[in-house]
Amino acid sequence: MDIWSKLPGQESARQRSKIRDHSAEANLFLRRAVVAFVGILVLVVILLATLGHLQISRFGYYSTRSNENRINVIPIPPNRGIIYDRNHIPLAINNTIYKLEIIPDKIKNLNEQLEELKTIVDLTDEEIDIFQKERRNYRSYSPVPLKAKLTEQQIAQFVVNQHRFPFVSISGEQHRYYPYGATLTHILGYVSKINDQDKARLIADQRLNEYVGTSNIGKLGIERFYESTLHGMPGYEEVEVDSRGRIVRQLDQYPPQVGQDIYLSIDLKLQQYIEKLLNGRRAAVVALDPNNGEVLALVSSPSYDPNLFVGGISGTDYNALLTNPNKPLFNRAMQGTYPPASTVKPFIAAAALTEGVITRNTVIHDVGWWQLPNTDKRYRDWKRWGHGRVDVIRSIESSVDTFYYQIAYDMGIDRLSKWMTEFGFGDRTGIDISQSEESRAIMPNREWKFQRYEQSWLQGDTIPVGIGQGYWTATPLQMANALTILINNGKSYTPHILLNTKSSVIGPEVPEISVPMESTLLNTVDAKSWQAAKEGMYKVLYGSLGTARHVFAKTPYQAAGKSGTAQVYGLKADEVYDANNIPEHLRDHALFIAYAPYDKPKIAIAIVLENGGSGSTNGGAVARRILDYYLLGDESVTTDASILKMRLGD
C-alpha cells in the first residue's frame, strides 16, 4: 500500500469524488433556468398586457385625467343686470374691482403664507377669519377669495412679491355698486355673499349650477325678488395650466348670458327730495300713481348705505347698524305698523253710507265726548268743547271723533272689519318685493282677539276702532293703497315697483316682462258715497273749518287729504296731553294722506312721522311740499315757515 494513500486528506478527497453527481447538478441548473425564463416571460406578458390595457383600452380615461391636470375649466360669472328708475337713471350698476384669490389645497404652509400676506396687502385678521369660513363653500383646488377691493398700492406690492406665492393671484370681477347710497336701500335691497341658507335654497330650486363662479346674490328688495331676472347664466373658458396652476394659454371660451336690465316705476328725483325733506328723522312716505298702482317713491327714514354689504359687511359696521336707536335697517314704509288714526275716517264714512248706517243728512250734536250706552264709559273728542252740529262732510272736514264713535257702535266690529279689509287693511298689498318684507299689520275682529289674547271681543273694543285706534294698525303702504281705492271709486291696482325688463344682449330681442296688475272693484259702493268721502277730504284742505286749511292755503292746484294723529300711549280719564312734558318717543305720531290734482289725480301719498306731533300741521306740511314739488317742479314752493317746522324731537 502506497504511503500517500494512507494520508487523511487524500482519503477524504477520493471519497467525495466518488459521491458527487455532475449529471444531477446539470439537470438542476437547467430546471432553474427554465423556471426563471418562464417567470420572466410571464412578467413580460403581464407588462405588455398592462401597457396594452392602459394605452388602448383605457386610453380615453387616462387621457382625460391627464388633460384635467393640464386643462382647467374656469367659470365666467355673468354681468348682473342694471337697475334704472322710470327716467332711465341707473340706480344699481356694476364696477370692476380686483381681488386676491388663493388655492388653499395646493399650499402646504398656508398659515405662514397668510401671515406674510398681511404686510404686503394689508390683510386683516377679520378677513382671514372670513376666508377660513368661506373655504367650505368652494370645491377642492378651486381659488377662494381672500381680500376684495384691492387698492392700486396693494396690487403693486403684491405683483413685486408674486414669485413668493405661486398659488395666489389677482383677478378682476364685476362688483355691484349703488351710486345713490342710502336713498334707495329699502327699495333696491342689496347683494351680498352667498351663505349656507342661500346655497340650500339654490339647491332646492335646482339652480346651484347657475352660480358657479358667482360669490354674491340678492338679499333684499328688488335685488332679491328679481334675482333670477338680474343674475343671468354663467359661461366658462378652457385654459392650459402649468404644474403651478398658472395659465399658459386659452383653449376655448363660452361667453356668459348677462342678466336682464330692470326699469322701475320709482322717480329718483322725487325720492331724493322726500329724503331731503325728512332729513334723517324717523318717518315713512309712500307715493303711488293712482291710475295704475306704480310706486313713485317709497321712503323709509333713516336708511343705510347698501354698499357696506356688497362683498361682506364688517362686524363693526353691522353692529353699529343693529344698535342704532333709530333702526335704519327697519323698513318703516312696508313693515312699520302704526294706528292709522283719523286718516281712515273717509273710508269708514263711505262704508257707513253704503250700509245705510248714516245718510248725507245724518246729524249729531258733538259736545266733546261720546258715552257708551248703558255704561259710564266716555270717549273724548280731540276738541274738548266739541264741534256742535256735525254731518258726514263736516265730520271729515273737522275730523270729529264722536261722529265715528257712533258709526262704530252702530256698525259693529263684524261689518267694520269686513269693510276695512276690502280697502286692503290687515293684509299684504302684494307689492312685488313683499315676500318677507311687508307686514300684514292688524285689522282686528273677534277671531283675531281670541287667537291673540284668548279673550272675547267687547263692545268697548269697537269704539276706538272707529277712529283708527285701539287694536287697529296699518303700514304706510296700506294707507296709500287704500287711498287709491277711494280715488278710483273702488278699483284696486296692485302696487308695483317694476315697470319692465329688457335684455342687454345684442341679438334677437328679448320680450319685455311687465308686472301684472290685479284689479278688483268694490262695486257695492255707489258713486254718491264715494263723492261724499272725497268732498270731505277736499274740505280738510280748503274748507273754513278744515284741519289742514292753513297748510294748503293758496295752492295753485286743488287737492284732497286727511290728517291723523295717533296716540302712542293711552291717556287717563282727566289727563291732558302735553308734548313738552313727555319723552320724545311717547309723543303722538303725525299721519297724513293726500292726492292731487283733485279732479284728475296723478299722485297719492301716505305719510307717517314717528312722534311727529300734529298730523294736520306737521304731516300736512310735508304733504304740501311733496305735492308742490311733484306737480309744480319747484323746490322753493313752500308754505309759511312756522307751519313747516316739524316737531320730531327737535
Side-chain angles (χ1 to χ4, degrees):
M1 182 178 291
D2 189 350
I3 188 171
W4 298 105
S5 63
K6 293 186 181 291
L7 292 174
Q10 289 296 322
E11 184 178 0
S12 174
R14 290 193 184 112
Q15 289 175 350
R16 286 197 302 271
S17 177
K18 292 179 181 180
I19 295 172
R20 188 171 181 177
D21 188 344
H22 293 281
S23 177
E25 289 181 354
N27 290 335
L28 177 62
F29 175 79
L30 182 60
R31 285 196 299 273
R32 289 177 177 175
V34 170
V35 171
F37 177 76
V38 171
I40 293 172
L41 185 62
V42 170
L43 292 176
V44 170
V45 170
I46 293 173
L47 178 60
L48 292 175
T50 302
L51 288 174
H53 176 71
L54 294 175
Q55 295 293 328
I56 300 173
S57 300
R58 302 283 285 172
F59 172 78
Y61 171 77
Y62 286 105
S63 176
T64 301
R65 290 290 300 274
S66 176
N67 283 332
E68 286 178 352
N69 292 331
R70 183 177 63 89
I71 300 173
N72 279 357
V73 177
I74 301 176
I76 306 175
N79 286 345
R80 196 170 180 86
I82 307 301
I83 302 176
Y84 299 89
D85 86 331
R86 67 186 304 112
N87 298 311
H88 294 193
I89 300 174
L91 308 178
I93 61 177
N94 302 314
N95 287 337
T96 300
I97 66 162
Y98 295 94
K99 62 182 180 179
L100 198 66
E101 292 184 328
I102 186 170
I103 306 177
D105 299 293
K106 291 189 175 183
I107 302 176
K108 294 180 180 180
N109 55 341
L110 178 61
N111 291 332
E112 293 180 11
Q113 290 214 358
L114 293 177
E115 286 296 323
E116 293 176 15
L117 286 168
K118 280 186 176 181
T119 56
I120 296 175
V121 294
D122 302 319
L123 188 64
T124 66
D125 291 334
E126 184 176 5
E127 288 171 331
I128 293 175
D129 291 339
I130 294 173
F131 159 74
Q132 296 290 8
K133 294 176 182 177
E134 289 292 321
R135 286 181 59 184
R136 297 173 297 179
N137 297 325
Y138 288 80
R139 297 177 180 176
S140 299
Y141 298 97
S142 296
V144 181
L146 178 60
K147 185 179 181 67
K149 301 180 184 178
L150 293 174
T151 65
E152 292 183 3
Q153 182 179 356
Q154 291 168 345
I155 293 173
Q157 289 180 174
F158 176 76
V159 170
V160 171
N161 293 275
Q162 190 168 11
H163 64 280
R164 297 164 50 193
F165 309 97
F167 299 108
V168 182
S169 60
I170 292 176
S171 66
E173 72 170 359
Q174 291 293 298
H175 185 83
R176 202 59 156 176
Y177 178 67
Y178 303 97
Y180 298 99
T183 299
L184 297 151
T185 304
H186 293 292
I187 298 171
L188 300 180
Y190 56 83
V191 300
S192 192
K193 288 187 176 181
I194 297 174
N195 57 31
D196 292 339
Q197 292 179 342
D198 299 321
K199 190 174 181 181
R201 187 172 67 252
L202 292 172
I203 292 173
D205 295 339
Q206 298 182 343
R207 295 182 55 220
L208 187 61
N209 289 337
E210 298 177 18
Y211 286 80
V212 175
T214 300
S215 58
N216 286 345
I217 193 171
K219 297 288 187 176
L220 290 173
I222 289 293
E223 292 279 28
R224 176 173 179 175
F225 194 85
Y226 293 108
E227 169 64 28
S228 59
T229 302
L230 290 164
H231 179 256
M233 297 293 290
Y236 66 91
E237 63 176 340
E238 293 181 354
V239 296
E240 185 176 354
V241 298
D242 60 17
S243 59
R244 291 190 170 188
R246 293 177 297 193
I247 296 175
V248 176
R249 61 180 175 135
Q250 184 186 75
L251 302 177
D252 206 349
Q253 184 178 34
Y254 299 84
Q257 178 182 332
V258 301
Q260 294 187 57
D261 296 336
I262 279 181
Y263 296 86
L264 305 184
S265 60
I266 298 297
D267 185 325
L268 174 63
K269 299 300 182 184
L270 177 63
Q271 181 89 8
Q272 289 178 313
Y273 178 74
I274 295 172
E275 284 222 344
K276 179 182 177 182
L277 195 62
L278 297 177
N279 195 28
R281 295 181 169 98
R282 298 188 306 278
V285 177
V286 177
L288 303 178
D289 185 337
N291 300 294
N292 48 35
E294 293 175 2
V295 179
L296 302 174
L298 190 148
V299 178
S300 176
S301 176
S303 186
Y304 60 97
D305 187 356
N307 292 302
L308 293 171
F309 287 84
V310 181
I313 188 171
S314 69
T316 302
D317 289 337
Y318 189 58
N319 187 60
L321 291 174
L322 285 176
T323 56
N324 189 320
N326 290 324
K327 300 180 180 179
L329 294 172
F330 184 53
N331 186 347
R332 289 172 164 83
M334 294 174 54
Q335 296 173 330
T337 56
Y338 310 89
S342 295
T343 62
V344 301
K345 288 175 180 175
F347 313 131
I348 293 177
L353 287 166
T354 303
E355 287 284 342
V357 173
I358 59 172
T359 68
R360 286 287 297 258
N361 299 320
T362 298
V363 174
I364 70 164
H365 185 77
D366 174 32
V367 295
W369 49 267
W370 181 89
Q371 187 167 330
L372 185 65
N374 303 318
T375 71
D376 296 329
K377 177 64 175 177
R378 287 185 175 183
Y379 296 85
R380 294 185 299 184
D381 193 280
W382 68 267
K383 192 173 184 180
R384 297 182 68 85
W385 53 90
H387 296 83
R389 289 175 56 83
V390 178
D391 63 8
V392 63
I393 303 299
R394 172 78 187 284
S395 74
I396 299 173
E397 177 185 4
S398 299
S399 196
V400 181
D401 293 336
T402 55
F403 195 89
Y404 292 90
Y405 293 148
Q406 185 66 50
I407 288 179
Y409 176 78
D410 291 337
M411 287 189 72
I413 191 58
D414 296 328
R415 284 194 293 177
L416 193 58
S417 177
K418 177 180 178 297
W419 270 102
M420 293 305 101
T421 300
E422 293 289 338
F423 279 97
F425 292 105
D427 199 3
R428 296 185 179 94
T429 63
I431 189 172
D432 47 352
I433 57 173
S434 61
Q435 286 187 336
S436 60
E437 297 180 45
E438 183 182 9
S439 171
R440 292 180 180 273
I442 299 171
M443 185 64 243
N445 54 31
R446 300 177 191 277
E447 182 182 0
W448 171 84
K449 185 180 179 185
F450 187 79
Q451 290 180 350
R452 180 72 175 270
Y453 299 106
E454 295 185 354
Q455 296 176 0
S456 299
W457 187 269
L458 303 177
Q459 199 170 43
D461 296 329
T462 305
I463 309 307
V465 174
I467 61 167
Q469 296 276 175
Y471 295 121
W472 191 354
T473 62
T475 67
L477 180 59
Q478 287 175 339
M479 294 162 56
N481 184 53
L483 178 58
T484 63
I485 295 174
L486 177 69
I487 293 170
N488 292 309
N489 291 357
K491 182 178 287 187
S492 171
Y493 293 104
T494 302
H496 58 279
I497 300 176
L498 178 69
L499 281 182
N500 56 64
T501 65
K502 188 175 182 180
S503 173
S504 58
V505 178
I506 298 176
E509 187 172 347
V510 178
E512 294 186 351
I513 303 171
S514 296
V515 173
M517 296 183 296
E518 178 185 353
S519 62
T520 58
L521 189 67
L522 276 172
N523 52 17
T524 55
V525 180
D526 59 51
K528 291 182 179 180
S529 298
W530 293 123
Q531 187 56 36
K534 294 176 186 178
E535 185 180 338
M537 294 180 68
Y538 176 84
K539 289 198 170 185
V540 168
L541 308 188
Y542 303 108
S544 60
L545 299 173
T547 55
R549 64 188 183 278
H550 298 299
V551 179
F552 279 83
K554 300 179 181 179
T555 57
Y557 53 85
Q558 291 186 321
K562 184 68 191 78
S563 61
T565 304
Q567 290 182 348
V568 175
Y569 73 101
L571 296 174
K572 297 178 181 179
D574 298 321
E575 185 178 0
V576 177
Y577 176 82
D578 185 357
N580 295 322
N581 293 326
I582 61 173
E584 186 267 341
H585 70 279
L586 293 178
R587 295 175 187 173
D588 294 341
H589 298 320
L591 298 89
F592 208 91
I593 59 173
Y595 66 92
Y598 179 67
D599 293 329
K600 293 183 179 180
K602 295 180 180 179
I603 183 173
I605 57 176
I607 300 166
V608 175
L609 309 176
E610 286 189 11
N611 312 116
S614 169
S616 58
T617 302
N618 297 331
V622 174
R624 167 72 190 272
R625 296 190 71 172
I626 293 172
L627 295 179
D628 283 352
Y629 175 80
Y630 188 74
L631 298 175
L632 306 177
D634 187 355
E635 293 187 35
S636 65
V637 178
T638 62
T639 57
D640 184 79
S642 63
I643 296 175
L644 292 175
K645 182 180 179 181
M646 295 180 292
R647 293 183 300 166
L648 300 175
D650 293 344

